[in-house]
Amino acid sequence: MSSAPPTEIPTIELGVPGDKVKVPRIGFGCMGLSSTYGASDDGESLKTLNHALDVGSNFIDSADVYGCGHNERLIAQLLRDRRDDVFLCTKFGSAFTEPPPGNTDTFHKFLKGVDGTPEYVLQAASDSLRRLNVDKIDLYYQHRVDKNVPIEETVGAMAELVKAGKVRYLGLSECSAETLRRAYKVHPIAAVQVEYNCWSLDIEQNGLLEACRELGVTVVAYSPLGRGFLTGQIRKFEDLPDTDSRRSHPRFQPESFHHNIKLVEAFEEMSAKKGCKPGQLALAWVLAQDPNLIVIPGTKRIKYLDENVASGQVHISDAENKQIRDIINSIPISGDRYPEVHMKKLDN
Ligand SMILES: NC(=O)c1ccc[n+]([C@@H]2O[C@H](COP(=O)([O-])OP(=O)(O)OC[C@H]3O[C@@H](n4cnc5c(N)ncnc54)[C@H](OP(=O)(O)O)[C@@H]3O)[C@@H](O)[C@H]2O)c1
């Protein structure tokens, strides 16, 4: 099971009333392909992306801000010959200036902050379409809610994009339940993207999961492997490359790491008995929490991609679901899920 080639990825229907599309429940997150978690190599990334399409994991998740435009330009190379094979998702909302070609500087220098003004929405969409070199984005999310702009105004501009045929479905990321309900009144929202994994259960506690269920909105669980932590591949802080953004994340700091690794050890024990990898158990568990949910693990490697896709065949029984819940409840996590500056941007 662990590294065998995938057979079939379970699917669900995503969309809005009257317009639904079948998508795989295990998609592909592209953030790490733009040097977020240490260096990445475009040639290797394209091989992995092509493999994702070959095995049916064609729910491709990008954002304009990943690598400040780099990620979308990379995906444009995939789309050149395979546009029809891809369900293309991207996001706007964290404004930035595009670095000059060949930039080797840290991307943080180019970030400008959250922007949800209608003018910015239209400009950002036009920039993404240019970088991706396509006429239409399948799912367009607001990446972070702009607390200075009423959500009705932002979604109003997003709805204009749908009307103009530039976007098929709308999504929100890291929004509150109240924001989602207000947004939905302006235009149906197809998906909410949020961190959801064994060490981030906020969506269950803040009413967002309930709101998604009520409205029929698909949950897209990001960082489903806990940014790689839950796979057991990272054993200590020093395993993270110097340029890895996780070095600034509270949960990966040495003192928290030392504590949080207990969760991984419990997963390792349970997955060994079950005959799968701990990361596969983590993905299968998230998938088991709601039928209208997709996970979008990210990786640079074909080997990991195959493992992740194979988690679609890992069945979690009710007893195992309870056992995992008990493990999670018995090991309180040390550290916030983002550094303070990013925690403040969440829509609570
Ligand atoms: N909306 C938002 O605000 C937001 C925020 C964060 C992420 N996202 C989206 O969610 C996607 C996934 O999240 P993520 O990349 O943060 O975290 P993740 O998917 O939980 O974990 C990615 C990390 O796990 C490693 N990994 C993947 N599969 C593995 C396996 N089978 N065995 C061992 N290690 C494995 C990867 O290693 P390698 O890369 O070295 O292969 C990478 O370091 C992103 O790519 C992005 O599209 C959205």
Side-chain angles (χ1 to χ4, degrees), residues 268-283:
E268 283 172 336
E269 196 182 324
M270 188 170 166
S271 58
K273 284 188 195 140
K274 201 168 159 57
C276 66
K277 300 261 180 163
Q280 292 179 317
L281 188 63
L283 290 178

Side-chain angles (χ1 to χ4, degrees), residues 34-72:
S34 291
S35 301
T36 309
Y37 300 149
S40 54
D41 175 285
D42 288 355
E44 288 305 310
S45 297
L46 281 167
K47 283 185 202 160
T48 306
L49 279 165
N50 271 295
H51 188 73
L53 301 190
D54 292 343
V55 298
S57 183
N58 70 340
F59 187 92
I60 301 293
D61 185 76
S62 183
D64 56 4
V65 76
Y66 296 163
C68 291
H70 168 270
N71 207 262
E72 290 183 333

Side-chain angles (χ1 to χ4, degrees), residues 29-32 37 61 66 91 143-144 173-174 193 222-228 231 233 246 296-301 304 307-308 338:
C30 298
M31 184 177 75
Y37 300 149
D61 185 76
Y66 296 163
K91 318 181 197 79
H143 207 158
R144 287 292 178 274
S173 171
E174 287 290 357
Q193 186 170 139
Y222 79 71
S223 301
L225 295 166
R227 299 178 190 269
T231 66
Q233 292 295 308
R246 289 171 292 194
I296 48 166
T299 178
K300 299 168 191 156
R301 299 153 227 248
Y304 287 170
E307 274 180 23
N308 297 342
Y338 274 108

Side-chain angles (χ1 to χ4, degrees), residues 19-30:
D19 179 20
K20 302 264 182 189
V21 64
K22 198 157 90 164
V23 289
R25 293 195 72 198
I26 303 171
F28 187 85
C30 298

Side-chain angles (χ1 to χ4, degrees), residues 117-128:
T117 57
E119 313 78 69
Y120 180 74
V121 174
L122 302 182
Q123 184 58 50
S126 152
D127 289 343
S128 283

Side-chain angles (χ1 to χ4, degrees), residues 50 53-54 56-60 79 81-88:
N50 271 295
L53 301 190
D54 292 343
S57 183
N58 70 340
F59 187 92
I60 301 293
L79 298 170
D81 300 322
R82 304 190 72 172
R83 175 65 187 97
D84 292 345
D85 295 342
V86 175
F87 186 84
L88 177 62

Side-chain angles (χ1 to χ4, degrees), residues 84-247:
D84 292 345
D85 295 342
V86 175
F87 186 84
L88 177 62
C89 317
T90 194
K91 318 181 197 79
F92 74 92
S94 298
F96 61 92
T97 47
E98 281 192 49
N103 165 67
T104 52
D105 220 331
T106 165
F107 290 119
H108 289 109
K109 270 182 68 174
F110 300 93
L111 302 179
K112 295 201 294 194
V114 175
D115 195 338
T117 57
E119 313 78 69
Y120 180 74
V121 174
L122 302 182
Q123 184 58 50
S126 152
D127 289 343
S128 283
L129 289 166
R130 167 181 53 80
R131 278 188 295 265
L132 291 160
N133 198 20
V134 293
D135 301 328
K136 193 166 188 168
I137 294 161
D138 296 312
L139 173 55
Y140 197 44
Y141 297 92
Q142 183 185 28
H143 207 158
R144 287 292 178 274
V145 173
D146 185 342
K147 295 175 187 172
N148 298 313
V149 178
I151 192 66
E152 289 78 4
E153 289 182 22
T154 306
V155 176
M158 292 168 76
E160 278 181 43
L161 294 167
V162 177
K163 213 167 159 194
K166 295 177 181 177
V167 164
R168 183 165 177 188
Y169 301 119
L170 301 184
L172 300 176
S173 171
E174 287 290 357
C175 61
S176 69
E178 193 207 331
T179 300
L180 172 63
R181 289 183 204 282
R182 283 171 51 195
Y184 203 99
K185 284 186 188 150
V186 179
H187 191 279
I189 303 294
V192 161
Q193 186 170 139
V194 68
E195 181 168 354
Y196 191 14
N197 53 44
C198 307
W199 71 354
S200 302
L201 302 172
D202 309 35
I203 182 178
E204 296 180 355
Q205 293 148 4
N206 60 18
L208 185 56
L209 183 56
E210 207 180 306
C212 287
R213 283 176 178 157
E214 240 175 77
L215 297 166
V217 173
T218 297
V219 174
V220 177
Y222 79 71
S223 301
L225 295 166
R227 299 178 190 269
F229 189 79
L230 300 165
T231 66
Q233 292 295 308
I234 311 161
R235 302 312 297 193
K236 55 187 185 313
F237 179 77
E238 292 73 22
D239 288 345
L240 301 169
D242 286 348
T243 56
D244 194 312
S245 66
R246 289 171 292 194
R247 281 189 164 242

